[in-house]
Amino acid sequence: MANRAKATIFDIAREAGVSKSTVSLVLQGSGLIRPETTSKVRKAIEDVGYVYNRGAANLRKAHSNVIGMVINDLTNPFFAELAVGMERVFQSAGIVPFIANTAENPVRQEEVLKSLMEQGVAGLIVSPARGTTPGAFRRIETAGVPVVFAMRRLPESRIPVIAPDNHRGAYLAAAHLIGKGHRRLVFFGGSSDLVVYHERLGGFREACETLGIAARDILIVEGETSRKGGIACLETALAMAEPPTAALCFNDAVAFGAMLALRKRGLEPGADFAVVGFDDVVEAEHYMPALTSVAVDSAGLGERAAHVMLKMIQSRTTRAEDHIGAVNLVVRESCGPDRRTRSRPAGSGNAA
Amino acid sequence: MANRAKATIFDIAREAGVSKSTVSLVLQGSGLIRPETTSKVRKAIEDVGYVYNRGAANLRKAHSNVIGMVINDLTNPFFAELAVGMERVFQSAGIVPFIANTAENPVRQEEVLKSLMEQGVAGLIVSPARGTTPGAFRRIETAGVPVVFAMRRLPESRIPVIAPDNHRGAYLAAAHLIGKGHRRLVFFGGSSDLVVYHERLGGFREACETLGIAARDILIVEGETSRKGGIACLETALAMAEPPTAALCFNDAVAFGAMLALRKRGLEPGADFAVVGFDDVVEAEHYMPALTSVAVDSAGLGERAAHVMLKMIQSRTTRAEDHIGAVNLVVRESCGPDRRTRSRPAGSGNAA
DNA sequence: TTGATTTATTGGAACGTTCCATTTATAGGC
DNA sequence: GCCTATAAATGGAACGTTCCAATAAATCAA
């Protein structure tokens, strides 16, 4: 089976006793070919161990069938979920998405994007790396390749975005905390080079302000968006002269870190200090205590992004509407009982 | 910048006032071109918004620079780590790996593999989906494309494998449990269609047998390799007439599930029932209690796999040696204190 | 039978590169 | 100044497909 040099449609043609054009037609599933001829060709294809050369085909064909998916952090299950959601819809459209990881590195992202473009992708779904420069996608835009951003956006870009309603999610979470009786709140993690950060922080601020929290009781501690960052944030917060009693965290990883740090200090997350996460990754439910978090349905957003992309490709446009996905607060145990029913007000249980 | 139709080297040539061949040479970084000419061409490339067509190039060139990475479950951080490790070494070799997810589905895997082959990959690193048929890679082998398996292997395949020493890892873990005084042990999760399962179970068995555990005290509960599966396994085990006191779990997800189920029953993982995981994913360290687990260094194995692949491509071979990665048991808190020092022997603390 | 129509099949040009064999320009030796 | 050696640039064929226009074969109406 199969000699050294790779087989082409000419080899198939010879084997089946037809012309290369006929083979090409069969390959494309054209109905013009007589059934017996078709099966003769099919057999020859098997016999010579043929593998279709999509590169050659794309030289003539208008459109390729590959879509690139550029993700900033594959090890974050949140983004992996996003990828999985996209794959679901592409699969049913007969498209194979290729995933590439940028590890939150703009330089790497540049390489990855370049490579994907050279490969002739039909479209790109991107969760841009932190620190992506504004012009990073100009080349791609002028090439007319459709791009959609997922989860994250760039400051002043015209590229359509599929993302959760970060502002509202943060608002809901903060409102929940305030409803529980907390009066001095902190926002943990993230940094201002991320648009998402501003959205979430904005929601947090708005809730605090409209629900009567004094400006001096609205705290912010920036930090890495990881467990480690969460630990650091908590240490910083508890070292304050007047520590907060509740934290809304930039994402679940930060929340896990904060809970861990709490435990290390002998404090019980929920009872002694309230923690809310963001994203609602699968582990949130299984943590001890289970983490209250803002669910964003990343797989659903992935599906949405894929649909938008499909439509853009089909209608040969590079424009599309943004889509802001609904969020909802999943209340679990990390915020403890209602504080207003307790005798001692905020600040209790803060023994180091 | 850039008119509608995509620019080719001819457009660059016209713009720069040279021939297409010169442009091609510049593109390939040939030193034969005069520096001033080179920069003239470089400028033209910018001006026309050129994007290199790798498909066309591969028609002539012997080798492509893309490597496919086929992963069975991207949402499992363990596999995501593997991917990240590979990327590290490919990046420094100027290669962009494309990742595709099979979601543990052999049919999907078939499609993904086909698509990657059509794209003209130079090599394939695969963590095969469960239930992959023996012949699934024959086509690829006869096409002469190098393949290496990572983490998992197929029953009778000749394809090189990069995997952790599952047998030894399980042996170490079981020995640890026995050393702690446990005398009735169970293996949780997995199923016999996976070679890895047999390896890990084999190590568990060998440790039990050589360290004097009676055959009737060596229990096995198959199950899904997920949190859910772990929960089910634990329920099954505790429902036995004579329940075990310690479990070695197929992987960390199963272990997390088991610990969860323990908690739900009011039992304390570690003190009341010992649990050991496998893979040592990042969360293992952060769990409550921290999970004792067999560390396999998946990122390191990913790097190794990538190196092997690079060498295979370079030496134009499709053969390579297997590589069995070292493992080590990371002892944390999920196995509790030494049981031999306690008054009551195995079986205590098992109130439902 | 003839011409028109439909159904199957085919040759050739094109797609955007690379690479080889040439050609042209530049420099060096005498 | 001429010949040779070297450096720089070039034209053309090839890579494996698709698609159009053209041909060949089969069917049908008269």
Side-chain angles (χ1 to χ4, degrees):
Chain A
M1 50 186 83
N3 28 13
R4 272 321 76 204
K6 43 190 71 182
T8 75
I9 51 172
F10 284 93
D11 299 307
I12 300 172
R14 188 167 1 88
E15 185 82 6
V18 298
S19 80
K20 63 162 186 21
S21 302
T22 304
V23 176
S24 175
L25 258 5
V26 170
L27 247 19
Q28 295 172 82
S30 160
L32 293 180
I33 306 295
R34 213 157 27 123
E36 350 168 10
T37 308
T38 298
S39 56
K40 208 167 48 180
V41 171
R42 286 257 152 72
K43 175 164 185 329
I45 289 177
E46 280 306 314
D47 289 350
V48 303
Y50 172 74
V51 1
Y52 184 74
N53 184 332
R54 202 168 286 278
N58 285 343
L59 226 39
R60 291 281 325 194
K61 287 221 282 232
H63 253 358
S64 88
N65 79 145
V66 359
I67 287 187
M69 227 150 106
V70 179
I71 298 229
N72 61 296
D73 180 10
L74 212 49
T75 61
N76 185 335
F78 173 64
F79 290 107
E81 286 283 328
L82 179 76
V84 168
M86 293 180 189
E87 283 194 318
R88 246 196 314 260
V89 357
F90 284 136
Q91 173 167 22
S92 55
I95 285 180
V96 175
F98 289 140
I99 306 170
N101 185 31
T102 62
E104 208 72 275
N105 176 351
V107 177
R108 176 67 174 158
Q109 177 172 269
E110 200 84 20
E111 295 171 6
V112 158
L113 251 19
K114 178 153 171 271
S115 181
L116 251 4
M117 286 298 288
E118 293 180 355
Q119 223 57 235
V121 294
L124 247 15
I125 297 183
V126 184
S127 169
R130 177 174 314 191
T132 299
T133 62
F137 291 87
R138 199 161 33 213
R139 287 287 274 268
I140 298 173
E141 285 183 280
T142 69
V145 171
V147 180
V148 351
F149 285 150
M151 309 316 297
R152 294 177 170 185
R153 68 175 76 226
L154 250 38
E156 35 33 59
S157 159
R158 297 235 132 271
I159 291 172
V161 178
I162 312 296
D165 193 341
N166 289 308
H167 187 94
R168 180 168 159 74
Y171 186 100
L172 289 175
H176 174 71
L177 253 12
I178 295 166
K180 283 268 186 183
H182 293 278
R183 287 293 168 268
R184 192 165 163 82
L185 317 186
V186 63
F187 189 90
F188 273 175
S191 55
S192 48
D193 57 347
L194 229 41
V195 177
V196 180
Y197 177 76
H198 291 112
E199 295 173 349
R200 295 187 179 177
L201 184 57
F204 171 76
R205 272 221 169 91
E206 186 183 327
C208 289
E209 284 163 8
T210 69
L211 297 175
I213 301 298
R216 52 173 291 278
D217 288 326
I218 305 173
L219 276 21
I220 295 166
V221 179
E222 288 198 9
E224 282 181 41
T225 59
S226 61
R227 257 175 253 252
K228 190 177 304 186
I231 294 173
C233 285
L234 190 105
E235 303 295 348
T236 305
L238 291 195
M240 290 174 171
E242 222 179 314
T245 63
L248 170 56
C249 300
F250 176 79
N251 67 15
D252 286 346
V254 172
F256 294 145
M259 293 206 289
L260 221 55
L262 243 15
R263 273 268 167 67
K264 240 187 315 197
R265 285 179 163 247
L267 299 176
E268 179 63 21
D272 301 321
F273 189 102
V275 177
V276 186
F278 214 111
D279 295 347
D280 192 34
V281 301
V282 272
E283 299 128 283
E285 183 186 351
H286 296 305
Y287 239 71
M288 289 296 298
L291 179 67
T292 293
S293 187
V294 179
V296 302
D297 184 22
S298 43
L301 287 172
E303 290 183 23
R304 187 44 157 239
H307 276 127
V308 170
M309 172 54 57
L310 251 20
K311 204 153 294 167
M312 287 170 84
I313 291 176
Q314 195 188 319
S315 60
R316 310 193 137 54
T317 175
T318 177
R319 284 280 102 86
E321 303 235 306
D322 287 2
H323 173 85
I324 304 302
V327 296
N328 72 299
L329 184 70
V330 179
V331 177
R332 299 205 183 86
E333 295 136 33
S334 64
C335 300
D338 200 322
R339 291 198 143 227
R340 284 172 309 190
T341 66
R342 294 170 61 169
S343 49
R344 276 202 291 163
S348 69
N350 158 25
Chain B
M1 54 184 83
N3 29 14
R4 272 319 77 199
K6 43 191 69 183
T8 74
I9 51 172
F10 285 93
D11 300 305
I12 299 171
R14 189 168 358 89
E15 185 82 7
V18 298
S19 81
K20 63 165 187 18
S21 302
T22 304
V23 176
S24 176
L25 257 6
V26 170
L27 248 18
Q28 295 171 81
S30 160
L32 292 179
I33 307 296
R34 214 157 26 125
E36 352 169 8
T37 308
T38 298
S39 57
K40 206 167 50 180
V41 171
R42 285 258 152 71
K43 177 166 184 327
I45 289 177
E46 280 307 313
D47 290 349
V48 302
Y50 172 74
V51 2
Y52 184 73
N53 185 332
R54 203 167 284 278
N58 285 343
L59 226 37
R60 291 280 324 192
K61 285 221 284 232
H63 255 358
S64 88
N65 79 145
V66 0
I67 287 188
M69 225 150 105
V70 179
I71 298 230
N72 60 296
D73 180 10
L74 212 48
T75 62
N76 184 335
F78 173 62
F79 290 107
E81 285 283 330
L82 179 75
V84 168
M86 292 182 191
E87 281 193 319
R88 247 199 310 265
V89 357
F90 284 136
Q91 173 167 21
S92 54
I95 285 181
V96 174
F98 290 142
I99 306 171
N101 186 28
T102 61
E104 208 72 272
N105 175 351
V107 177
R108 177 64 173 158
Q109 178 172 270
E110 201 83 21
E111 295 171 8
V112 159
L113 250 18
K114 179 153 171 271
S115 181
L116 250 5
M117 286 298 289
E118 292 180 357
Q119 222 58 233
V121 293
L124 247 15
I125 296 183
V126 184
S127 169
R130 179 174 312 195
T132 299
T133 62
F137 291 87
R138 200 161 30 213
R139 287 287 273 268
I140 298 173
E141 284 183 280
T142 69
V145 172
V147 181
V148 351
F149 285 149
M151 309 316 296
R152 294 177 171 186
R153 66 176 76 227
L154 251 38
E156 36 32 56
S157 160
R158 296 235 136 271
I159 292 173
V161 179
I162 312 297
D165 193 340
N166 289 307
H167 187 93
R168 180 168 159 74
Y171 186 100
L172 289 175
H176 174 71
L177 255 11
I178 295 167
K180 283 269 186 184
H182 294 278
R183 286 294 169 267
R184 194 167 162 79
L185 317 186
V186 62
F187 189 91
F188 274 174
S191 55
S192 48
D193 58 347
L194 228 43
V195 177
V196 180
Y197 177 75
H198 290 113
E199 295 173 348
R200 295 188 178 176
L201 184 57
F204 171 75
R205 272 220 169 93
E206 185 183 327
C208 289
E209 284 162 9
T210 69
L211 296 175
I213 301 299
R216 52 173 291 278
D217 288 326
I218 306 173
L219 278 19
I220 295 166
V221 180
E222 289 198 8
E224 282 181 42
T225 59
S226 61
R227 257 176 252 256
K228 190 177 305 184
I231 295 173
C233 285
L234 190 105
E235 303 295 348
T236 306
L238 291 196
M240 290 175 173
E242 222 178 314
T245 63
L248 169 56
C249 301
F250 177 79
N251 67 14
D252 287 345
V254 171
F256 294 145
M259 292 206 289
L260 223 54
L262 243 16
R263 272 268 167 66
K264 242 189 314 198
R265 285 180 161 242
L267 298 177
E268 179 63 20
D272 300 321
F273 189 102
V275 177
V276 186
F278 212 112
D279 294 347
D280 193 34
V281 301
V282 271
E283 299 129 285
E285 182 185 351
H286 296 304
Y287 239 70
M288 289 296 297
L291 179 67
T292 293
S293 187
V294 178
V296 303
D297 184 21
S298 42
L301 286 172
E303 290 183 22
R304 185 46 155 237
H307 276 126
V308 169
M309 172 56 57
L310 252 20
K311 204 153 296 170
M312 287 171 83
I313 291 176
Q314 196 189 319
S315 58
R316 310 192 138 55
T317 175
T318 178
R319 284 281 102 85
E321 302 235 308
D322 288 3
H323 174 85
I324 304 303
V327 297
N328 70 300
L329 184 70
V330 179
V331 178
R332 299 204 182 86
E333 296 136 34
S334 64
C335 299
D338 200 320
R339 291 200 142 225
R340 284 171 307 187
T341 67
R342 293 170 61 169
S343 48
R344 276 201 292 163
S348 67
N350 158 27

